[in-house]
Amino acid sequence: MTIALKKRLSFDELVQENRKQILQDESVLEKIEQNIETKMHNSLGNKSSK
């Protein structure tokens, strides 16, 4: 965490930063999951139409 290197963060600040990063990560993972589901659906749809 580069912020921690620039200044000493209190424990509460570290927890807050960690929670913010987790929410960002969850958002990215959800987008990836939706992308995979869309590709699987499209792939299955293409096979059944042949």
Side-chain angles (χ1 to χ4, degrees):
M1 179 177 193
T2 57
I3 296 171
L5 298 175
K6 292 179 184 172
K7 73 169 195 165
R8 287 297 271 178
L9 297 177
S10 71
F11 180 76
D12 289 340
E13 289 171 319
L14 288 172
V15 169
Q16 185 178 5
E17 286 295 319
N18 193 28
R19 285 184 178 153
K20 186 169 35 168
Q21 188 62 52
I22 288 170
L23 290 175
Q24 290 173 354
D25 291 348
E26 286 178 345
S27 175
V28 170
L29 288 173
E30 187 164 327
K31 287 177 186 175
I32 291 170
E33 187 176 341
Q34 288 173 350
N35 192 10
I36 290 170
E37 287 176 359
T38 300
K39 287 182 179 181
M40 282 177 45
H41 179 71
N42 289 343
S43 176
L44 292 174
N46 290 340
K47 288 179 184 174
S48 64
S49 65
K50 288 183 179 177

